[in-house]
Amino acid sequence: MTEHAPALARAATDTRAFALANCIRALAIDGVEAANSGHPGAPMGMAEAATVLWTRHMKFDAARPDWPDRDRFVLSNGHGSMLLYALLHLTGFEDMPVEELKNFRQWGAKTAGHPEYGHVAGVDVTTGPLGQGLAGAVGMCMAEAHLAARFGREVVDHRTWVFCGDGCLMEGISQEAISLAGHLKLSKLCVLYDDNGISIDGTTDKSFTEDTTGRFEAAGWQVIACDGHDVTALDEAITRAKAETTRPTLIRMRTVIGLARPTRPETAASHGAPLGAEERALVRQALDWANEDFSIPAELLSEWRAAGARGAADREAWEMRLSALPADQRTEFSRRIAGEMPDGFDTAVAQARAALYASPQKVATRKASQIALETLAEVCPEMIGGSADLTGSNLTRVKAVDSDFQAGSLGGRYVSWGVREFGMAAAMNGMSVHGGVIPYGGTFLVFSDYARNAIRLSALMGVGTVYVMTHDSIGLGEDGPTHQPVEHLISLRAIPGLNVFRPADAVETLECWELAIRSRRAPSLLALSRQAVPQLRASGEENLSAKGAYVIRQFGERRDVTLIATGTEVALAVEAAEALYAEGCGAAVVSMPSWELFDTQPPSYRAEVLGDAPRVAVEAASKLGWTRYVASEEDVIGMDGFGASAPAEVLYEKFGITRDAIMARARALIEARP
């Protein structure tokens, strides 16, 4: 026999806690069975840990799930979602009536297959892609620590709790996350690790035999080992974690996956499949559970609901402390948590635009970004910047954020993320969902591939994380094709809900930054150049980039051809249009900093901008996708393959992204027109 029977006996030692934990197990089993789909193994194995944490330690108020100073809970092993849904129902979250559990994984249900932020109160971050919940939790702790340094522990003093499994720790992002958390000494982070020795392919000794304790200790964590079914040991471990003041904590809980499944103990079969009628009956017998499906005995439900209401007194005391803050601090804290724009923002943007008009800048758009940030980060104290070890290239550091965010100075506004692109992106998502801060972080556009899954989650959650991606084309030159993004723009544009901006000059860069900061419900990615471009805009108060595309130049009264371009190629298109006009052709140049925003404009506006003349698109990247705006890929001046190592001007010439190539295609289209 395996560890199953002894573990079940140990869990049953504390009869009351065992009964409360069995409420979680029963609901998880019932939900998965009703859906004929799901993962009951983790909820059944982690039920004791969840019970101890939620009934004895975690600070929350089920009646006010948006309370800013509540503890955060992250189910990083999000496949075990029925564990979280059961907890939300048992503790009395209004969003989680029993009908939602019965509708698990069905159309229109809040109980999605993996927990999704924004679908239901109590889900603090979307999880499922393993490791990202853990990394997001690091970002939550960073936001908490920063706000505490700014506003004081009287109003910001909460913890972040993470449940994770072997899969989370196998994913490479976990190393980025635990390394950073240990470096920053995020002592309010506690990870409860479901150390059950099982993965989908079988026992973990097939693929995962490292010294997990040594790994975390080497990264600067406190590690506590305990029996994951011993309620007293769990209680003591969590108490120790709360007492630690200089290190994050890993509680390594030895558990049995799918505890109480007598026919499949400690096997991969317990992970992700319904029990079936026969084994379900055996589990009920082992748990001494004789209730109807989705039914919880009144006395147990009452105890769970009391746990959900326990935090009301803490919340009310917090509200009193908040009201006692000086008026200016209270107002500023509330503004940040509500996600409202600061006073003076519009004025600051207008002044920055006027300064560009007064003194036009011929600079790389990465430098234009830094110029914009000098103003915007000053007026938006909630902005926290950073770079994945490329600050001097990304130009993300400005005077307003010049203070380092480090252990001992967590009120700083600049994060040195190290070479951790994926960890940076996922942690910034955690900062975004925490609230009170606007994170932005930089790397090269080509390395967006490393961060892509976190960028996707930004869009899926609908949060305003800002990605600053420089060196946006073959124009970066000599570093060669390993660093020259070609397919990246179209692959990022393919992500629903992500605003991809490729500004043409300093004015557009300022406008795109304004849009990114205002966008609290959608992430933004700024693709910025290494090479300098002329400033094409010299007047106007409207944010034209907000429309996604607009006519930036019109040569002649009639329009014989429309040249559409983005970023550094807009200036090239302007040169071509001017030369065509000298030959007698009327030409309009459309700058298109954002496909996504342009596609949301009214059809009449889009038709007016694009016109009915033949069109040529110009972008020093993949041609893929441009046929939504031009007739064929033959009408796209762009890239068909990877770049090469050479100076930028040589690359543009060799790959045919030139004024003459644009003109030649425009002439061919004009001549072919009936």
Side-chain angles (χ1 to χ4, degrees), residues 160-198:
T160 301
W161 305 93
V162 183
F163 277 13
C164 81
D166 293 298
C168 291
L169 300 188
M170 292 183 203
E171 287 285 0
I173 190 176
S174 70
Q175 183 58 34
E176 298 182 28
I178 67 173
S179 172
L180 182 64
H183 167 73
L184 293 173
K185 303 184 186 302
L186 298 176
S187 61
K188 288 187 174 292
L189 174 64
C190 180
V191 176
L192 289 87
Y193 164 36
D194 185 23
D195 183 14
N196 58 44
I198 297 293

Side-chain angles (χ1 to χ4, degrees), residues 352-436:
R353 182 185 289 112
L356 292 174
Y357 292 157
S359 179
Q361 300 291 311
K362 184 178 181 180
V363 294
T365 53
R366 62 170 176 162
K367 180 60 178 178
S369 169
Q370 188 180 47
I371 293 170
L373 280 171
E374 289 284 3
T375 295
L376 301 179
E378 180 69 35
V379 76
C380 293
E382 61 267 46
M383 291 179 69
I384 297 181
S387 170
D389 205 48
L390 287 169
T391 294
S393 295
N394 301 148
L395 303 183
T396 43
R397 189 162 193 155
V398 295
K399 183 178 180 181
V401 298
D402 199 37
S403 53
D404 286 316
F405 182 98
Q406 290 288 337
S409 59
L410 295 171
R413 292 177 60 189
Y414 197 80
V415 183
S416 295
W417 291 101
V419 188
R420 300 183 180 100
E421 295 91 352
F422 195 2
M424 174 183 73
M428 288 198 301
N429 284 340
M431 297 169 80
S432 292
V433 298
H434 179 280

Side-chain angles (χ1 to χ4, degrees), residues 218-274:
W221 288 56
Q222 170 183 227
V223 179
I224 304 169
C226 74
D227 182 340
H229 302 296
D230 183 330
V231 170
T232 299
L234 285 164
D235 192 32
E236 291 174 352
I238 294 172
T239 299
R240 280 182 60 191
K242 291 165 68 176
E244 175 61 40
T245 59
T246 62
R247 295 174 294 174
T249 297
L250 175 76
I251 299 177
R252 186 174 183 175
M253 311 179 303
R254 188 62 186 173
T255 62
V256 173
I257 191 170
L259 185 70
R261 295 188 70 167
T263 64
R264 296 180 179 179
E266 297 183 276
T267 67
S270 291
H271 171 75

Side-chain angles (χ1 to χ4, degrees), residues 99-113:
E99 288 74 21
E100 288 291 342
L101 303 184
K102 294 178 179 178
N103 208 26
F104 178 51
R105 290 186 163 217
Q106 305 307 301
W107 177 263
K110 296 177 180 178
T111 45

Side-chain angles (χ1 to χ4, degrees), residues 421-613:
E421 295 91 352
F422 195 2
M424 174 183 73
M428 288 198 301
N429 284 340
M431 297 169 80
S432 292
V433 298
H434 179 280
V437 297
I438 301 175
Y440 70 90
T443 187
F444 290 166
L445 181 59
V446 75
F447 299 143
S448 64
D449 282 341
Y450 287 144
R452 183 181 177 84
N453 205 264
I455 297 171
R456 182 178 187 270
L457 277 195
S458 304
L460 186 64
M461 291 190 290
V463 295
T465 306
V466 183
Y467 301 97
V468 183
M469 301 289 183
T470 69
H471 296 59
D472 67 344
S473 74
I474 61 169
L476 68 88
E478 292 85 347
D479 273 352
T482 60
H483 282 54
Q484 292 168 5
V486 172
E487 74 278 20
H488 298 75
L489 285 170
I490 186 58
S491 72
L492 290 162
R493 288 167 177 156
I495 299 176
L498 173 66
N499 290 325
V500 179
F501 295 105
R502 190 168 185 245
D505 68 357
V507 175
E508 280 193 8
T509 304
L510 172 66
E511 291 179 339
C512 292
W513 259 113
E514 178 191 359
L515 296 169
I517 292 170
R518 290 187 183 278
S519 178
R520 301 301 175 89
R521 292 184 174 84
S524 300
L525 186 146
L526 282 73
L528 305 171
S529 74
R530 178 178 185 249
Q531 70 272 39
V533 289
Q535 183 175 311
L536 300 172
R537 296 260 298 281
S539 63
E541 298 181 358
E542 182 182 1
N543 186 326
L544 296 177
S545 297
K547 295 183 176 181
Y550 62 98
V551 177
I552 194 169
R553 290 287 190 277
Q554 174 72 53
F555 295 94
E557 294 184 2
R558 71 177 190 275
R559 189 188 297 199
D560 296 316
V561 67
T562 299
L563 308 181
I564 311 169
T566 75
T568 47
E569 287 70 69
V570 176
L572 193 61
V574 169
E575 290 181 23
E578 189 172 19
L580 286 167
Y581 180 60
E583 296 178 354
C585 298
V589 179
V590 172
S591 178
M592 188 177 282
S594 172
W595 288 19
E596 296 79 22
L597 295 186
F598 182 65
D599 289 346
T600 66
Q601 301 305 308
S604 59
Y605 177 78
R606 284 181 278 144
E608 177 187 352
V609 169
L610 296 176
D612 56 8

